[in-house]
Amino acid sequence: MLVDSVPVPRAETAPAPRKRRAVRSVGLLAAVAVLLLVAVASIAVGAKELSAAQVWHGLFHDSGTYADVVVDERISRTVLGLLVGAALGLSGAVLQALTRNPLADPGLLGLNAGASAAVVTAISFFGVTSLSGYVWFAFCGAAAVGALVWFLGGSRGATPVRLALAGTAVSAALYGYLQAVMILDDAALARMRFWTVGSLSSATDETIRQVLPFLVAGTLVAFVLARPLNAVAMGDDTAKALGANLNRTRALSMLAATVLCGAATAACGPIVFVGLMVPHVVRSFTGPDLRWIMPYAAILSPVLLLGSDVVGRVVARPSEVQVGIVTAIIGGPVFIFLVRRRRTAQL
């Protein structure tokens, strides 16, 4: 396991050069432009082919035609993709800083496993069948596991290593429980099969309304933590010398990551690699400062998620490939490349 290896922000004796700030700002604007293009593509392109005129009519009229209904569904799907993508990117950035592990993602602390275990419990033992029911069980499962990992990791004495080990152990136990229930309950297996691959296809206005407050709250906490997490990334002793409150920063970081990942997983199922890849790649050109990593991650993660969703809708027309499968196909080779590059750099 790669721990204590997140690049450490260097103390600067003077403000960052204006030129570097300008380049980062221009890059951020370019990322926003790319996001807008991908969002437009997400509305205009899908498994069902629509003309530009039909898409335009669906955006600005409500006559109830088939094309209008399809466009309305795509709008909800796109909005949810924007929110979930940003949440996964931010939670990944927070967890990578918290654990000092550049290859960490929300799954490292067991949050995905907690949400999945809660959903299979809801289906198998409580007979929950609607997405609105899954949302709350998944969110509560992720929150409960986040609290458990924090406790097992030492609470106030938690360290990056302890948190990562606790998360790995809890994930293993929960996935064992998940597989056991699904094997013994055919109904749970049938209903979970679709949810566990991760998908935006079930997006509705109601789902967005349910998860939006949590995503907004988690996003605000994450951005507030950018400066304290920069200090924590320098090491405990340095962080204390700089006046950072380690226990409070770690507790709030766990809270932010849990809320963001829990709400995103509740809405779409566990979508892998987005929270891993984007913050890691962003760090290569923004540097280790989370005040830049977080905005970039919040913008580029939806680009990856929505782009993957569009690809999944196009490659298997008139059916579609779920976005969780597409991100896994993309993320696997990228993850291998990142690990090999790190090993080469360390030789």
Side-chain angles (χ1 to χ4, degrees):
M1 182 179 297
L2 297 173
V3 182
D4 293 331
S5 54
V6 166
V8 175
R10 295 181 181 179
E12 297 183 5
T13 58
R18 290 185 179 180
K19 183 177 180 180
R20 188 174 183 183
R21 287 202 301 267
V23 170
R24 288 171 172 172
S25 299
V26 171
L28 204 58
L29 292 175
V32 172
V34 173
L35 178 59
L36 291 175
L37 290 175
V38 174
V40 170
S42 179
I43 296 172
V45 181
K48 300 176 179 66
E49 294 190 51
L50 299 178
S51 67
Q54 288 175 314
V55 173
W56 183 265
H57 188 275
L59 287 172
F60 299 103
H61 300 83
D62 188 19
S63 61
T65 65
Y66 172 77
D68 292 345
V69 172
V70 171
V71 172
D72 287 342
E73 292 176 351
R74 290 181 186 175
I75 291 173
S76 296
R77 187 169 182 160
T78 300
V79 171
L80 186 62
L82 291 170
L83 295 173
V84 168
L88 293 175
L90 284 173
S91 62
V94 169
L95 290 175
Q96 288 176 12
L98 175 65
T99 61
R100 300 193 196 120
N101 182 350
L103 299 181
D105 73 339
L108 180 67
L109 298 186
L111 304 182
N112 287 343
S116 299
V119 170
V120 77
T121 299
I123 293 173
S124 184
F125 297 105
F126 297 100
V128 178
T129 59
S130 66
L131 180 63
S132 59
Y134 295 167
V135 166
W136 294 106
F137 274 92
F139 181 77
C140 291
V145 169
L148 177 61
V149 169
W150 175 250
F151 173 77
L152 294 176
S155 299
R156 290 184 174 274
T159 64
V161 175
R162 288 180 178 177
L163 289 174
L165 290 175
T168 301
V170 171
S171 292
L174 289 177
Y175 278 125
Y177 163 77
L178 180 70
Q179 295 301 320
V181 173
M182 291 174 65
I183 289 173
L184 296 174
D185 188 340
D186 292 338
L189 174 61
R191 293 171 186 165
M192 280 289 293
R193 187 164 44 196
F194 179 80
W195 186 84
T196 53
V197 298
S199 173
L200 295 174
S201 60
S202 299
T204 63
D205 293 341
E206 180 61 26
T207 303
I208 294 171
R209 283 194 292 269
Q210 287 179 336
V211 300
L212 183 60
F214 299 104
L215 296 177
V216 171
T219 298
L220 292 175
V221 174
F223 276 103
V224 169
L225 289 171
R227 189 181 294 273
L229 280 173
N230 276 341
V232 170
M234 297 181 182
D236 291 1
D237 293 337
T238 303
K240 289 178 181 178
L242 293 173
N245 187 321
L246 292 178
N247 292 328
R248 182 176 62 191
T249 299
R250 285 174 179 155
L252 289 176
S253 297
M254 280 291 298
L255 176 63
T258 298
V259 170
L260 289 168
C261 180
T265 304
C268 302
I271 297 176
V272 297
F273 288 116
V274 175
L276 162 67
M277 286 192 295
V278 176
H280 188 85
V281 171
V282 163
R283 189 180 295 108
S284 66
F285 59 85
T286 64
D289 191 344
L290 284 164
R291 292 172 297 179
W292 286 102
I293 292 175
M294 286 185 179
Y296 269 97
I299 294 171
L300 293 179
S301 294
V303 170
L304 174 60
L305 186 62
L306 287 178
S308 299
D309 190 42
V310 171
V311 170
R313 283 184 263 169
V314 171
V315 297
R317 283 176 172 170
S319 184
E320 63 179 77
V321 179
Q322 304 305 320
V323 66
I325 297 175
V326 179
T327 58
I329 292 173
I330 296 173
V334 172
F335 181 77
I336 294 172
F337 169 75
L338 293 175
V339 171
R340 288 184 61 84
R341 189 180 68 172
R342 287 195 56 79
R343 288 178 177 174
T344 301
Q346 291 171 355
L347 292 178

